Amino acid sequence: MIFRLLIAVMLSFVVSVSHVQAQDVMKKLDVQGLGNVPILHDGRIKPMDSFARHIVRLIARKDELGGVSAVEILAGLIFQDGKMVERPLFVIKNAEVVTALSLDVKRGKYYSYRELAQAFQQNAGMLNSLMAKGEDVSGREAELLNLYAKHSEITEILGSLSVLLPYSIKDDAILEALQLQDMDIVTYQDIKKTMAQRKGELLGALSAKDMGSDKVTALQRQLIAMIYSMQHVEQDRFTRIFRVIPSVWKEDGEEWFSPWGVLEEGRGSPVTQGLMVEWTKLALAYRNADQGMWDDALKVITSVAMKTQEKGYDAEIFSVEMVYNNLRLFDVAMWLCLIVFVSVLLSKVLDNKFVLSFSIITLIITFIVSLLAIILRMYIMQRPPVTSLYESIVFVAVVVFFMALMLVRRQYALMGVMIGSTVGGVLLLIAKGYEKEGDTMGTLIAVLDTHFWLATHVVTITIGYACSLVVALIGHIYIVREVMKADAASQKKLFALLRYNTLLALFFTVLGTILGGIWADQSWGRFWGWDPKENGAMLLATWMVWLIHGWQAKFFRPFSYALAASMSSLVLVLSWFGVNLLNVGLHSYGFTQNIALNMGVFFAIELTFLIVSWVIYGRRERKSARL
Amino acid sequence: MGEEREKVRVSRQRITHILLLCAIVSVGLMGYVDHLTMTAVDVQSTERDIKQKGAIDVTRTQMPKVVFETIDGVSVDVEKYRGKTIVLHFWATWCVPCVKEFPELLKMSALAGENVVLLTVSNDRDGQAVQKFLQKVDKENLAQGANVVLAIDPARTISQEVFQSYKLPETILISPSFEMVKKIVGAETLWSDPEMLRYLKEM
């Protein structure tokens, strides 16, 4: 830990003394082309644009910051732009973390890399003791460690190109002493090479005790400073995050390397050498804000990557991913949901059919937009639509939009539009929260990478989740209407719809659970293992069975059936999110404070609503019975 | 009857409106997507540009044209060995694993025959260190290996600036068609193993 801390501190020193003194590079240079460069990250070749967004979301929880795009921020970091380390990039929402690090309280809640580096240095002791605690840390402490981990990741990014960044040595005496006066561009490698060969000759017979004495000449003093500076840079040799160099060696398979990795792991070749020279030119172009040089270097880098198709790169998928990143279709769908919701309320208030038609059309567009997003994701990832919690949320949102449109078609226009816009919108909002955690297109763990069973089981069970959600919502609407004394005929019709949807939910949850068993049998060699997620899915299916049997056996009356149907939302949340919080089983993601808190709040609101409705309805029933 | 017709008319009108709106949105979306894809790099024109500028040779595994200098001060163009398997070995006398591996390489060269060339590139400062070292190793093997080239690269121009060889010892196996087939990092102890010899001969 101390080692990493040292690196951070040293790096901030190196950044300040040696590299880019870029004067408003962004104003003069268009760096967006960097977004097209391929990089291997999280086990997948992706456009730099996706990588940049992942990094910026990780630290700032946004796709861009103050009008500066993710690619521009990343360019500033990798080329060690002094201004970028001073720029507030890290968001700290928890005031306790700010206090613990003795940082100034800011209204904007954003802090720079350098501010945090200093804070971590001053609190190294505290961080050490927190790390020693292991998993036994409080929420605040966990956030602090999380912030430190993010800062370390940026430290790694800052050092990822230091092996090839151009140095500006202005003193001719040093250049001459190092015999580098004829070189156009001087990098760490050049200085290191000449230093290794001529160190003794340059420093003479200086001993440790000579240092600081009159024996040391001004030139020697500068050379000593340079040796120290090189030692700082050398600390970056462990950086592996920036994998932009495809290996030419067959034995490396689809592996790509970071510039440091190429040298440290001995995977260099004439091609990788040529590529690294182009990266140096790119850095120089960035420093001098030279658009021509920038574009030329970028073209070579991109073209070499394009020639390495067997290394996991596909130009078609690449351009689709760029389009997907830029369109941000789920954000568009979320805003459309808001428009639908407002317009449907307006249509009710104004009693205007035209406004209602507008909201229906907008809902159709919302469905198309979100469906398109899922199709694009499937194409980019070349895999089924649901493979993670994030994807299950957006998929359920799309299914909900579809079911809402089906309700509209079955003459439940108002209800359909309301369900679609509210539930779909809220689901997309929740998904956006997950988006901020980083890349939503991560690599699958091996067991999930069996397309057929994944496609059938996960998609079916997720449709089952969506149907259960709609059942719960229709149940809520039935309850509200019953409490508001709606007319019996329309309530009867609505109740039939509720039962129909319960059957649909039962079908998909049961089928999904059985298919899950078959998948588990294929993957793990057992049909059922009482894993919390398996139990959760079965719980939901059992709930639906109970509802249907309860009605058939006349155990339920319509209102109590609607109450039980509404409670399927609780069962759903428990099996969808809840089981992931448990630290047991194959689907565990570990306990997450936020999810637990949000679930608690949801349960409290839901139970309050149901109990209050039940009490009101019960009183009214008793009153009418007495009369 | 009239009411029915009116209903059908309204429904048709509504469908027309929906279709029209979908068409407008689709056209807008297509235009935007087109604009976005325009910003992506045009593959063919990029490759053309690069060929014209004579930048990196993207035929990735071809052996580059290099001229080595032997410890005796003789220049050797690698082109001379086209048609033979080349074992291009980067090493130095101050590198302990290299020193351990070197006799094994010489043994391999003696056993592999004429069609396998061992091209060793030393990172030492001068040829003297190499000469001194060679006096210690098995002279018999060295004498028998007629296809052994002992080159020296004191400025590391070829080792580092062409082949990016930093982790000594590193060995690149080059096929008779000048294809760089494999890279071995670290000391390989099985150079004279029959399987290795067969692999080198059949490359």
Side-chain angles (χ1 to χ4, degrees):
Chain A
M1 203 240 54
I2 286 185
F3 178 67
R4 279 188 165 189
L5 203 67
L6 269 172
I7 295 179
V9 177
M10 282 173 184
L11 232 148
S12 38
F13 164 76
V14 173
V15 166
S16 66
V17 297
S18 61
H19 281 298
V20 184
Q21 295 298 320
Q23 298 298 315
D24 295 325
V25 173
M26 253 77 89
K27 281 182 193 163
K28 296 173 192 163
L29 189 71
D30 177 11
V31 298
Q32 290 307 327
L34 185 68
N36 289 309
V37 172
I39 180 170
L40 175 70
H41 178 246
D42 271 352
R44 181 171 79 87
I45 305 289
K46 56 178 81 165
M48 191 69 75
D49 182 65
S50 298
F51 176 73
R53 283 170 198 264
H54 160 75
I55 294 295
V56 175
R57 276 179 201 154
L58 197 73
I59 56 173
R61 298 183 76 82
K62 281 180 180 174
D63 264 34
E64 56 174 50
L65 213 58
V68 181
S69 73
V71 169
E72 286 172 326
I73 292 172
L74 183 72
L77 293 173
I78 57 172
F79 297 127
Q80 298 190 350
D81 185 338
K83 290 202 168 177
M84 207 49 83
V85 288
E86 300 288 358
R87 198 182 187 99
L89 296 174
F90 293 80
V91 64
I92 310 177
K93 296 238 163 135
N94 189 336
E96 287 180 55
V97 174
V98 175
T99 320
L101 288 172
S102 322
L103 289 162
D104 296 333
V105 179
K106 290 185 187 176
R107 275 187 71 194
K109 294 177 180 175
Y110 281 88
Y111 295 85
S112 74
Y113 173 85
R114 197 186 295 282
E115 276 175 294
L116 288 186
Q118 282 162 356
F120 286 134
Q121 188 192 9
Q122 282 158 8
N123 296 285
M126 177 186 65
L127 277 168
N128 261 333
S129 54
L130 284 186
M131 283 183 172
K133 276 187 173 181
E135 287 182 6
D136 191 24
V137 287
S138 69
R140 177 188 67 88
E141 291 168 338
E143 273 193 50
L144 195 71
L145 289 174
N146 191 18
L147 179 68
Y148 176 69
K150 288 175 185 175
H151 191 263
S152 300
E153 196 156 337
I154 299 303
T155 304
E156 197 174 347
I157 287 173
L158 274 165
S160 52
L161 291 184
S162 58
V163 69
L164 50 79
L165 290 180
Y167 271 76
S168 51
I169 305 172
K170 297 203 170 79
D171 194 330
D172 288 340
I174 293 189
L175 283 172
E176 258 177 62
L178 294 171
Q179 295 180 343
L180 294 171
Q181 67 272 34
D182 298 330
M183 294 189 76
D184 295 333
I185 309 171
V186 177
T187 66
Y188 159 83
Q189 283 169 285
D190 302 314
I191 303 171
K192 178 92 193 296
K193 198 165 74 177
T194 179
M195 283 279 191
Q197 288 170 336
R198 313 189 58 237
K199 193 173 163 187
E201 179 192 330
L202 292 167
L203 296 182
L206 289 177
S207 64
K209 61 179 178 188
D210 291 332
M211 302 294 172
S213 72
D214 294 342
K215 280 188 181 176
V216 188
T217 64
L219 180 64
Q220 281 174 329
R221 218 177 282 279
Q222 279 176 305
L223 286 168
I224 291 164
M226 184 151 264
I227 290 170
Y228 277 111
S229 176
M230 289 301 104
Q231 279 172 353
H232 290 318
V233 177
E234 204 167 341
Q235 307 279 7
D236 299 334
R237 69 179 189 277
F238 302 106
T239 60
R240 295 289 183 273
I241 193 168
F242 205 66
R243 293 173 183 265
V244 287
I245 314 282
S247 171
V248 300
W249 307 108
K250 285 195 182 83
E251 57 268 28
D252 291 333
E254 291 187 0
E255 188 62 280
W256 289 48
F257 293 90
S258 66
W260 277 104
V262 170
L263 307 186
E264 287 295 313
E265 291 167 41
R267 303 324 294 162
S269 70
V271 176
T272 52
Q273 171 67 15
L275 254 180
M276 280 166 68
V277 168
E278 293 304 321
W279 273 99
T280 306
K281 285 185 195 163
L282 203 64
L284 194 67
Y286 182 87
R287 182 193 291 177
N288 301 334
D290 183 339
Q291 193 71 53
M293 192 187 209
W294 173 271
D295 292 341
D296 285 349
L298 216 50
K299 271 184 181 177
V300 179
I301 291 167
T302 318
S303 168
V304 173
M306 280 168 183
K307 281 276 184 182
T308 61
Q309 296 222 343
E310 68 272 29
K311 295 277 175 193
Y313 175 83
D314 188 320
E316 280 277 311
I317 292 178
F318 239 59
S319 24
V320 173
E321 188 165 347
M322 289 294 286
V323 170
Y324 173 82
N325 282 349
N326 287 309
L327 283 175
R328 294 164 79 169
L329 291 171
F330 287 128
D331 283 5
V332 174
M334 205 171 69
W335 288 110
L336 284 173
C337 279
L338 187 68
I339 295 171
V340 175
F341 182 71
V342 172
S343 58
V344 79
L345 283 184
L346 270 178
S347 79
K348 183 78 182 157
V349 173
L350 304 172
D351 196 21
N352 187 321
K353 281 196 170 162
F354 176 76
V355 182
L356 184 63
S357 304
F358 170 79
S359 62
I360 293 169
I361 292 166
T362 318
L363 186 65
I364 294 171
I365 297 168
T366 314
F367 169 66
I368 294 170
V369 165
S370 47
L371 185 67
L372 181 68
I374 287 200
I375 293 168
L376 286 179
R377 286 179 68 90
M378 284 170 70
Y379 180 70
I380 296 163
M381 305 299 296
Q382 303 277 300
R383 68 184 190 206
V386 187
T387 55
S388 64
L389 194 57
Y390 169 81
E391 284 176 332
S392 74
I393 299 170
V394 289
F395 189 76
V396 167
V398 174
V399 177
V400 166
F401 289 141
F402 178 76
M403 291 188 73
L405 288 171
M406 287 299 105
L407 286 175
V408 172
R409 204 163 167 263
R410 286 176 141 255
Q411 311 301 318
Y412 284 100
L414 196 68
M415 190 167 72
V417 176
M418 281 296 267
I419 288 179
S421 59
T422 50
V423 182
V426 167
L427 284 170
L428 290 178
L429 195 69
I430 295 170
K432 200 164 170 57
Y434 279 93
E435 228 172 55
K436 287 171 186 168
E437 303 292 322
D439 190 8
T440 60
M441 295 198 250
T443 324
L444 291 179
I445 55 165
V447 73
L448 291 178
D449 209 1
T450 46
H451 287 195
F452 178 73
W453 292 112
L454 192 70
T456 48
H457 156 61
V458 185
V459 169
T460 318
I461 198 82
T462 315
I463 294 175
Y465 284 170
C467 293
S468 310
L469 200 58
V470 173
V471 165
L473 280 157
I474 299 176
H476 279 73
I477 293 169
Y478 184 90
I479 291 169
V480 172
R481 284 169 61 98
E482 193 63 43
V483 171
M484 308 277 280
K485 296 177 187 168
D487 67 288
S490 67
Q491 280 296 82
K492 203 177 167 188
K493 213 171 139 198
L494 186 63
F495 187 68
L497 186 76
L498 178 61
R499 279 188 10 245
Y500 169 76
N501 271 285
T502 315
L503 280 170
L504 211 62
L506 174 72
F507 174 76
F508 283 109
T509 45
V510 168
L511 185 67
T513 310
I514 292 171
L515 284 169
I518 297 172
W519 178 35
D521 191 33
Q522 301 266 330
S523 305
W524 298 316
R526 91 288 187 282
F527 184 81
W528 197 262
W530 299 107
D531 179 83
K533 194 80 174 178
E534 290 172 342
N535 296 347
M538 198 176 70
L539 191 65
L540 196 59
T542 319
W543 193 268
M544 296 302 155
V545 170
W546 179 55
L547 280 177
I548 287 159
H549 282 75
W551 175 253
Q552 292 294 335
K554 303 203 178 350
F555 174 71
F556 287 128
R557 282 190 299 161
F559 187 81
S560 50
Y561 182 92
L563 271 180
S566 299
M567 283 174 79
S568 56
S569 67
L570 302 179
V571 183
L572 172 69
V573 167
L574 202 65
S575 61
W576 196 3
F577 297 97
V579 292
N580 297 333
L581 299 179
L582 302 172
N583 279 326
V584 284
L586 297 153
H587 297 80
S588 167
Y589 311 144
F591 191 81
T592 315
Q593 201 88 22
N594 275 351
I595 299 181
L597 186 72
N598 291 340
M599 267 180 66
V601 171
F602 175 74
F603 269 62
I605 294 172
E606 193 69 332
L607 285 172
T608 314
F609 166 79
L610 293 173
I611 292 167
V612 169
S613 318
W614 183 45
V615 169
I616 295 172
Y617 177 81
R619 266 192 193 171
R620 207 172 58 206
E621 284 292 290
R622 278 196 296 277
K623 218 177 193 177
S624 60
R626 276 201 296 272
L627 289 172
Chain B
M1 208 51 189
E3 210 174 286
E4 276 292 309
R5 262 191 209 160
E6 181 59 18
K7 263 189 180 176
V8 172
R9 197 186 63 80
V10 169
S11 148
R12 274 188 189 159
Q13 211 173 28
R14 197 174 284 172
I15 290 169
T16 320
H17 282 153
I18 292 172
L19 287 177
L20 205 68
L21 202 85
C22 287
I24 294 168
V25 171
S26 311
V27 169
L29 209 63
M30 275 160 64
Y32 186 49
V33 169
D34 198 40
H35 161 74
L36 290 175
T37 38
M38 288 282 278
T39 56
V41 178
D42 176 357
V43 182
Q44 283 180 350
S45 75
T46 307
E47 282 177 16
R48 206 170 42 241
D49 281 2
I50 287 160
K51 273 178 194 157
Q52 280 165 4
K53 284 191 178 111
I56 302 175
D57 179 9
V58 284
T59 36
R60 303 168 301 121
T61 49
Q62 267 310 99
M63 171 74 175
K65 287 175 182 167
V66 273
V67 176
F68 296 96
E69 193 179 320
T70 68
I71 50 171
D72 308 319
V74 181
S75 293
V76 178
D77 190 340
V78 76
E79 198 62 32
K80 188 180 159 188
Y81 302 108
R82 192 180 275 274
K84 291 185 177 185
T85 297
I86 304 172
V87 178
L88 179 60
H89 181 70
F90 298 97
W91 73 296
T93 57
W94 44 258
C95 149
V96 179
C98 306
V99 169
K100 278 190 182 164
E101 184 188 22
F102 206 83
E104 186 69 14
L105 274 161
L106 293 177
K107 200 170 159 192
M108 175 275 293
S109 173
L111 295 169
E114 280 187 6
N115 285 328
V116 178
V117 177
L118 173 63
L119 208 166
T120 66
V121 183
S122 161
N123 277 202
D124 287 279
R125 273 193 212 180
D126 51 55
Q128 277 182 349
V130 181
Q131 298 268 23
K132 213 170 155 186
F133 168 74
L134 288 174
Q135 282 168 7
K136 289 185 206 163
V137 299
D138 189 347
K139 282 179 190 159
E140 205 176 308
N141 280 339
L142 188 59
Q144 279 180 7
N147 285 328
V148 179
V149 181
L150 299 165
I152 185 146
D153 181 26
R156 297 175 197 176
T157 341
I158 295 172
S159 313
Q160 295 183 357
E161 287 169 28
V162 179
F163 290 94
Q164 261 195 341
S165 172
Y166 287 84
K167 301 291 277 185
L168 300 183
E170 286 186 10
T171 313
I172 298 173
L173 304 183
I174 299 150
S175 75
S177 57
F178 259 37
E179 186 91 1
M180 293 190 291
V181 177
K182 197 175 171 65
K183 185 171 188 184
I184 300 163
V185 183
E188 173 64 69
T189 52
L190 297 170
W191 283 113
S192 55
D193 189 82
E195 224 165 280
M196 175 63 96
L197 292 171
R198 195 173 336 124
Y199 176 74
L200 291 173
K201 282 179 197 165
E202 289 171 4
M203 239 166 69

